[in-house]
Amino acid sequence: ALANPAVGDRFLREARLAAKIRSEHVAHVYDVGTLPDGAPYMVMEYLAGTDLGRQLSASGPLSVDRAVDYVLQACEALAEAHIAGVVHRDIKPDNLFIATSPGGKSVLKVLDFGISKMSKKHTESGRVLTEAGDRFGTPVYMSPEQLMSSGDVDARTDVWSIGVVLYELLTGKLPFDGDLPELCTAILHKNPTPLTEARPYLPATLQAVIDRCLAKDVEQRFQNVAELAQELRIFAGPASLARIDHVVRVIRGAGENVRPSTLPEIEVSTRSLRDEPTLAEKAARSATTGSGVSSWGAME
């Protein structure tokens, strides 16, 4: 890999961008440098746990309250990243890691800033930091504007991706699917598969949130993660409410406008939030060991 200068540059850029973000929801970078033989190194926080991609594969869809809490933790990280001028561009379940401490506490960490870019207004020279070899994300999570021009995106492309992640956490499916040409056509021109069609017993108001995240016109989308977080308030538990308030403070503190929520303040029943037990929760009830899928339920 060292034979390709772009790979080394991207490696060091990931370290520098991640180090700019002060959030417990980002894997911390402690040191970065170059060894005597020219090989770059990065010293990162060591995490024990698993990523949401593996958890979905093992356990299936999550309950509404858990899916919303994970998304809000990701929004906390993205809020800090965005005000630092960093657009992640590759938000997906595999890059959302659930780290666990020996005491059983879990926290979501956003990983892999390797293809992230600095917003133009935050670069000293004004040049775009995206090279030709870096113009990639993971297509199923990419916004229409990222598919068309990966280097010319802003924080709203991460809003699209987090919307896809929320859809997948709730349903175990993707809003757009198919082989690459069919997938790109769907993202650019078709409506997503309705949330309630993929999982009919979900709260209908979640459909409006997903639709706003996946608006093809960026001006119709949530303009920042704080607007998205506010819209999830009616599905949030006590801990999640504190996350929403933090995200809004961070974005407003950076001088950005946060439009009021468009959803009515309605009471969401416990039944609608926890609709039915997930596979992990069912497994936990009969768990006799601390390994595998069952450990997720036991840990909670």
Side-chain angles (χ1 to χ4, degrees):
L2 287 176
N4 184 347
V7 174
D9 291 345
R10 187 166 64 188
F11 180 90
L12 292 174
R13 186 165 77 246
E14 173 179 1
R16 291 173 183 139
L17 293 181
K20 290 172 64 70
I21 304 167
R22 308 299 182 188
S23 171
E24 67 168 334
H25 297 292
V26 172
H28 296 300
V29 175
Y30 297 121
D31 193 19
V32 60
T34 305
L35 298 174
D37 65 357
Y41 69 83
M42 190 190 314
V43 182
M44 300 181 72
E45 175 183 14
Y46 182 82
L47 304 177
T50 191
D51 62 67
L52 279 181
R54 291 185 180 185
Q55 186 180 352
L56 272 173
S57 297
S59 309
L62 306 181
S63 60
V64 173
D65 55 345
R66 186 177 293 191
V68 165
D69 188 66
Y70 284 154
V71 163
L72 289 173
Q73 290 187 63
C75 284
E76 286 191 80
L78 289 173
E80 298 283 355
H82 293 164
I83 67 168
V86 178
V87 183
H88 190 285
R89 300 196 306 167
D90 198 21
I91 293 295
K92 57 185 177 182
D94 290 358
N95 282 339
L96 303 177
F97 193 92
I98 308 302
T100 58
S101 66
K105 180 182 177 181
S106 64
V107 60
L108 182 142
K109 301 271 188 176
V110 176
L111 309 180
D112 194 0
F113 286 79
I115 67 165
S116 300
K117 68 179 282 285
M118 289 289 289
S119 300
K120 291 180 182 178
K121 64 180 179 181
H122 287 84
T123 58
E124 293 181 4
S125 65
R127 74 182 181 90
V128 178
L129 296 177
T130 307
E131 302 297 339
D134 294 335
R135 297 172 69 84
F136 300 100
T138 306
V140 291
Y141 303 98
M142 290 170 64
S143 65
E145 66 270 22
Q146 189 175 0
L147 282 176
M148 297 294 290
S149 178
S150 185
D152 188 24
V153 297
D154 57 27
R156 293 172 293 185
T157 197
D158 287 343
V159 170
W160 171 286
S161 299
I162 205 72
V164 177
V165 168
L166 177 58
Y167 185 105
E168 187 175 9
L169 293 181
L170 291 169
T171 67
K173 302 176 183 178
L174 292 164
F176 305 99
D177 212 345
D179 57 25
L180 189 56
E182 183 182 1
L183 173 66
C184 293
T185 298
I187 291 173
L188 291 171
H189 302 294
K190 296 183 179 179
N191 293 326
T193 302
L195 184 72
T196 50
E197 181 179 315
R199 198 175 174 193
Y201 39 80
L202 288 172
T205 43
L206 273 173
Q207 179 71 60
V209 177
I210 297 288
D211 287 345
R212 188 82 174 273
C213 287
L214 302 183
K216 299 185 192 306
D217 180 353
V218 294
E219 299 300 330
Q220 299 301 315
R221 208 175 296 164
F222 295 116
Q223 297 300 287
N224 49 59
V225 290
E227 292 184 356
L228 167 59
Q230 283 188 152
E231 219 76 357
L232 293 172
R233 186 177 293 275
I234 62 174
F235 309 108
S240 297
L241 289 174
R243 302 190 198 287
I244 294 169
D245 293 339
H246 175 71
V247 172
V248 173
R249 282 196 305 271
V250 168
I251 295 298
R252 282 186 173 154
E256 291 194 35
N257 182 46
V258 180
R259 296 177 295 190
S261 172
T262 58
L263 288 181
E265 289 288 343
I266 60 174
E267 181 179 350
V268 182
S269 70
T270 302
R271 170 67 180 172
S272 68
L273 285 177
R274 295 198 56 81
D275 38 69
E276 63 176 16
T278 64
L279 295 179
E281 291 165 338
K282 292 176 182 177
R285 293 173 185 170
S286 58
T288 57
T289 69
S291 61
V293 173
S294 57
S295 66
W296 279 94
M299 183 167 58
E300 289 292 320

